[in-house]
Amino acid sequence: MGLGALVMAVGAIDAVQAQTSSKLQEVLQRGKLIVGTGSTNPPWHFRDEKGQLAGFDIDIAKIIAKGLFNDTNKIEFVTQASDARIPNITTGKVDITCQFMTVTAARAQQVAFTLPYYREGVGLLLLKGGSYANYDALKAAGDKVTIAVLQNVYAEEMVHQALPEAKVDQYDSVDLIYQALNSKRADAAATDMSSLRWFMKQNAGRYQDAGYAWNPQTYSCAVKLGDPDWLNFVNIALREAMLGVEFSEYKASFERWFGEAPPEPKIGFPSELR
């Protein structure tokens, strides 16, 4: 055998070995998907009244499991703290992390991010029938308005991106910012849009969205670097949930946790290719 043929043969063997060693094959042979997620942050991941994990992240994981096994129950969830999301992927403790993980360029050096399944942002929650009807009214009021926000080193700067003149009161927990709004010590509460939508759904008719969101963050699942077959499979499962054959399941979950329907995929030319 000539040198060129030998090189080609070795390359072919390496390609076959790469295919058979993919996480995709490992998961299929194991018969279950191992997912890293959280358990304390509704509407993303939390324990329901039966003690079962529930939330949008949990539903996303089930969509992936259905794509693998046509069975949403073939999952083992590993509950983990936020700071374990990347280590548990890189060490192989979990096959995938679905835990409201913000995509950043720095993190993409450590893990491979999937297609995004949600875009987070900050919104303003108002009491229905309160002193200010919407964002424009809050902004026009200048320094007369007080905004309650979760304590953070960037909290005041973040609020002032939307309302430059507003007073900012910081609180130790999300519950306290809602209490400040309810007692009218604050005119609005600045919080994640997902939390705002969830809270409005749980308290129908009591609150309203001010109609303005900012500070976007992309949420994706994450897998180990260097396995294109596994990443490609997960991306297809997510894409077809958001745009194709599994859209009804994604839509039902989105409505359940956020109280609104995502836009229907357009029939005809695939809009994502524009």
Side-chain angles (χ1 to χ4, degrees):
M1 180 183 292
L3 180 60
L6 180 60
V7 170
M8 289 178 65
V10 171
I13 291 169
D14 288 345
V16 170
Q17 288 176 337
Q19 277 190 326
T20 56
S21 64
S22 169
K23 176 65 73 173
L24 176 58
Q25 299 304 318
E26 178 187 330
V27 172
L28 288 171
Q29 290 169 11
R30 185 198 303 135
K32 68 178 178 180
L33 176 67
I34 301 175
V35 179
T37 194
S39 61
T40 58
N41 294 282
W44 293 96
H45 39 259
F46 64 101
R47 298 281 178 185
D48 63 16
E49 63 278 2
K50 296 180 181 178
Q52 300 297 313
L53 281 172
F56 195 58
D57 280 334
I58 307 307
D59 289 348
I60 291 296
K62 289 180 177 179
I63 285 170
I64 297 167
K66 184 179 180 183
L68 288 162
F69 307 110
N70 198 30
D71 187 340
T72 60
N73 295 313
K74 289 190 173 181
I75 300 180
E76 176 187 335
F77 286 108
V78 174
T79 55
Q80 56 190 20
S82 294
D83 59 4
R85 290 176 298 187
I86 289 176
N88 283 352
I89 283 290
T90 57
T91 60
K93 184 174 181 179
V94 300
D95 302 321
I96 187 168
T97 282
C98 297
Q99 191 176 352
F100 65 4
M101 191 170 179
T102 301
V103 177
T104 68
R107 285 175 172 172
Q109 298 173 47
Q110 303 174 74
V111 294
F113 284 110
T114 68
L115 290 176
Y117 59 90
Y118 188 83
R119 181 141 293 128
E120 187 63 278
V122 180
L124 293 162
L125 184 70
L126 300 171
L127 283 173
K128 198 163 248 185
S131 302
Y132 301 97
N134 52 36
Y135 168 73
D136 289 338
L138 288 169
K139 191 170 184 180
D143 62 4
K144 294 183 177 65
V145 300
T146 299
I147 308 301
V149 65
L150 189 65
Q151 191 171 24
N152 185 290
V153 65
Y154 304 111
E156 188 163 346
E157 178 186 345
M158 180 190 71
V159 171
H160 285 158
Q161 288 173 3
L163 297 168
E165 299 176 59
K167 298 183 182 72
V168 180
D169 283 349
Q170 300 187 41
Y171 295 88
D172 292 335
S173 73
V174 174
D175 287 346
L176 291 176
I177 72 173
Y178 295 146
Q179 288 178 26
L181 178 62
N182 291 336
S183 65
K184 299 186 178 179
R185 286 180 284 116
D187 299 296
T191 187
D192 289 343
M193 282 299 302
S194 59
S195 298
L196 182 151
R197 288 167 175 161
W198 166 252
F199 195 69
M200 285 177 61
K201 190 173 187 298
Q202 302 308 301
N203 299 273
R206 188 172 182 185
Y207 301 96
Q208 65 186 54
D209 178 0
Y212 181 77
W214 73 103
N215 198 31
Q217 298 180 53
T218 300
Y219 286 172
S220 292
C221 297
V223 299
K224 196 170 185 178
L225 287 169
D227 192 340
D229 288 346
W230 179 229
L231 179 61
N232 180 62
F233 167 78
V234 176
N235 279 342
I236 287 174
L238 293 176
R239 185 191 69 199
E240 295 313 304
M242 292 183 285
L243 296 169
V245 293
E246 300 295 338
F247 178 70
S248 61
E249 292 197 21
Y250 179 86
K251 177 182 178 181
S253 177
F254 202 99
E255 289 178 322
R256 179 182 181 189
W257 302 116
F258 306 127
E260 63 180 41
E264 297 278 337
K266 277 194 170 184
I267 307 302
F269 186 83
S271 58
E272 64 271 23
L273 298 181
R274 289 190 185 278

